[in-house]
Amino acid sequence: MTETLAIVGAGHAAGQLVASLVMGGYEGQIVLFGNESVAPYQRPPLSKKYLQGELPAERLLLKPESFYPDNGVELHLNEPVTAIDIESRSLQYGDGQTLRWDKLVFATGSRVTQLPVPGAESSGVHYLRSIADVDAIRAAFAPGKRLLIIGGGYIGLEVAAVGVAAELDVALVEIAPRLLSRVASPQLSEFYLDVHRNAGVDIQLSTGVERIEPHDNGLRVTLNDDRSIDTDLIVIGIGVSAETTLAASAGLKVDNGILVDEHCQTSAADVFAIGDCTNHPNPLLEKRLRLESVPNALAQGRCAAATILGAPKAYAEIPWFWSDQYDLKLQMVGLTDGYDDTVIRGDMAARKFACFYLRDGVLIGVDAVNSPKEFMLSKPAIAAGARIPTDVLADPDASLKDAATLWPGV
């Protein structure tokens, strides 16, 4: 009897899982459930080229829509799963239909953090998580319109850059005393603050929002210092959290994400979880992580597929990320929490440099701005726990590759 594999969620991780299973010759029935009306698609371009109008929606798709029926994959788009029973191996979806499964994969991703102030649900207030979200935002973009961004993380800064290019009057408020405060060094925060202010973005730091209310065919935002900003539209980007509601209700172990092992298996037999919703072990960093990262979603999709196909391979990769703003390509590798020293290589004024992060002399991360070589060479060095002298890191003529070989590990 053919087994049924149900996948709950239709994002990047789910799309990779399906592709890997098909490529690996999986003989069971794959059933994919998504909350949106679109097959699995790329999300990073949403705040970049798709928001700019430079990329059509069909180019976002991970696979052509025909790929799924052509390979016997049953799609249930816009039919979210509403309940899961692990004991009976069944789930409910859509308007109350049921499906019995033999294996189950959670790929539920993450959900945006809502701004908890009066008026945050007003017309003209947007979050950026889906194609539909961006379509609504882009429809309000017009030269001269006023755009207020709440949140100074990567999503907010990327939207600001697109808004400037679209000739909007862009303002941004961030409650922390600097941009990117949770993920970047003070040097990088200051660099991006200067970049955006020089581009015309009005940035207010250490500034929170008290309420939002309609005003003169637009919106008035009252700040925590009693000042106010009038705007035509608002984009909120204050973070995300793992979407674990279904998993927790089904009785799976959850702690800042669905707990999985190195093969993406959850606390229940034949139940897996992949992508942003997981809390997984990373043997290279010797700790558990929950990542909001496309590379992680893709890697876990491949990892779960290998396990399901009977050829398990443990997931162990150094995290990496990227962000595009104006003419700046920021590539990040490693996790920089707990760093105690930073070293700059290159010329910040020339907008081409790398910021290295060290802890107890060990390289743990790098933020590379328009510096792909430093990004690529840092990956294996971080994985090896390399100790590279700070004078070598700071010297653009010194070879990082040679240095990582000469001073490996601890």
Side-chain angles (χ1 to χ4, degrees):
M1 183 175 178
T2 300
E3 74 174 17
T4 297
L5 170 68
I7 305 171
V8 184
H12 238 116
Q16 180 62 59
L17 172 64
V18 172
S20 295
L21 289 171
V22 169
M23 184 178 297
Y26 179 68
E27 296 180 352
Q29 172 65 50
I30 301 173
V31 186
L32 178 66
F33 296 91
N35 293 358
E36 300 178 56
S37 59
V38 187
Y41 63 89
Q42 306 173 66
R43 293 189 187 272
L46 292 180
S47 58
K48 307 175 184 73
K49 288 189 175 182
Y50 187 69
L51 181 58
Q52 290 172 322
E54 296 181 3
L55 195 67
E58 57 268 22
R59 290 277 304 279
L60 295 176
L61 297 177
L62 294 174
K63 294 288 185 181
E65 291 185 0
S66 59
F67 170 84
Y68 302 94
D70 287 351
N71 288 282
V73 178
E74 185 178 325
L75 282 180
H76 289 273
L77 300 177
N78 213 22
E79 290 188 292
V81 172
T82 55
I84 293 172
D85 190 315
I86 299 292
E87 185 174 349
S88 67
R89 299 199 174 200
S90 64
L91 60 79
Q92 292 185 1
Y93 68 95
D95 296 325
Q97 300 99 309
T98 61
L99 174 77
R100 191 190 180 283
W101 46 267
D102 298 290
K103 289 186 173 67
L104 177 71
V105 181
F106 284 87
T108 46
S110 55
R111 60 177 182 271
V112 296
T113 302
Q114 304 285 316
L115 183 68
V117 303
E121 72 291 343
S122 300
S123 176
V125 178
H126 305 273
Y127 295 86
L128 198 158
R129 190 65 184 160
S130 67
I131 287 177
D133 293 337
V134 179
D135 288 344
I137 294 168
R138 196 165 60 187
F141 270 30
K145 287 282 189 180
R146 298 164 299 175
L147 165 65
L148 175 64
I149 299 161
I150 300 174
Y154 288 117
I155 290 293
L157 296 180
E158 288 171 0
V159 172
V162 175
V164 168
E167 300 180 10
L168 276 69
D169 182 3
V170 183
L172 182 149
V173 297
E174 164 59 49
I175 196 161
R178 60 185 178 91
L179 300 175
L180 306 171
S181 60
R182 291 174 294 182
V183 295
S185 67
Q187 298 101 310
L188 197 71
S189 295
E190 191 67 25
F191 171 77
Y192 274 100
L193 178 64
D194 290 342
V195 165
H196 282 275
R197 281 181 171 167
N198 289 335
V201 181
D202 178 11
I203 296 179
Q204 304 292 321
L205 301 174
S206 301
T207 302
V209 172
E210 292 292 325
R211 65 180 180 275
I212 302 169
E213 52 195 342
H215 178 76
D216 289 347
N217 297 320
L219 296 162
R220 173 160 287 177
V221 179
T222 302
L223 306 175
N224 59 358
D225 56 7
D226 293 328
R227 292 180 299 136
S228 64
I229 296 176
D230 292 340
T231 189
D232 296 303
L233 72 154
I234 296 171
V235 175
I236 300 172
I238 56 174
V240 298
S241 58
E243 180 49 84
T244 60
T245 306
L246 278 172
S249 298
L252 296 184
K253 292 183 179 179
V254 172
D255 183 7
N256 185 30
I258 304 168
L259 294 177
V260 298
D261 66 11
E262 67 274 18
H263 301 295
C264 297
Q265 297 188 83
T266 71
S267 55
D270 295 322
V271 180
F272 305 83
I274 55 178
D276 287 12
C277 66
T278 68
N279 183 316
H280 58 277
N282 187 303
L284 298 177
L285 299 177
E286 300 181 339
K287 62 181 177 180
R288 298 190 68 90
L289 305 173
R290 190 183 73 78
L291 296 173
E292 298 147 19
S293 158
V294 168
N296 172 69
L298 297 177
Q300 286 196 311
R302 291 189 290 266
C303 176
T307 304
I308 292 167
L309 290 166
K313 183 178 179 181
Y315 172 48
E317 295 188 11
I318 294 295
W320 63 277
F321 318 83
W322 77 92
S323 176
D324 295 324
Q325 301 166 46
Y326 308 109
D327 61 334
L328 303 173
K329 166 72 75 173
L330 169 62
Q331 295 169 292
M332 302 154 274
V333 60
L335 296 180
T336 59
D337 52 305
Y339 71 91
D340 54 33
D341 195 11
T342 57
V343 178
I344 301 294
R345 167 187 285 222
D347 187 351
M348 298 182 79
R351 298 158 78 99
K352 181 179 173 63
F353 67 94
C355 179
F356 297 100
Y357 298 80
L358 301 100
R359 182 171 58 234
D360 297 328
V362 176
L363 183 65
I364 62 171
V366 63
D367 293 332
V369 176
N370 291 340
S371 298
K373 183 173 70 172
E374 279 71 19
F375 167 72
M376 292 301 297
L377 292 176
S378 293
K379 278 186 174 182
I382 292 169
R387 289 180 178 273
I388 304 176
T390 55
D391 60 332
V392 174
L393 290 175
D395 183 357
D397 295 323
S399 169
L400 284 180
K401 185 176 181 179
D402 292 345
T405 303
L406 291 172
W407 290 283
V410 276

